[in-house]
Amino acid sequence: MDQQFIDSLASLGMPDHNYNLTGKLEFDNYFLSPHGTFQSILTFSDRHGTIFVNVARPSGIWLVTDFGITWERPPE
């Protein structure tokens, strides 16, 4: 399913390079258990959508724990 999501985004081509990434990285206890949520609006030639990615580092490596995109109608 992860690869299907990546492939579907790649099939849309290159999004507009002018985007803002917002998000916040938090720690449960000082520098332990970091996790964060990041989002951006990606604009393609025929559509745009808000993408979000949740990341965490429960042990020694960073993991993408959740991701998705909400498509919106292009402006008319």
Side-chain angles (χ1 to χ4, degrees), residues 8 12 42-49 71-75:
S8 68
L12 296 173
L42 297 181
T43 303
F44 296 92
S45 61
D46 64 340
R47 67 186 83 180
H48 67 275
W71 295 110
E72 300 169 16
R73 293 181 194 213

Side-chain angles (χ1 to χ4, degrees), residues 18-40:
N18 297 320
Y19 63 89
N20 291 320
L21 179 67
T22 59
K24 186 175 182 182
L25 188 62
E26 298 177 344
F27 298 88
D28 288 338
N29 187 11
Y30 296 102
F31 291 110
L32 301 176
S33 300
H35 56 277
T37 301
F38 301 91
Q39 69 179 17
S40 182

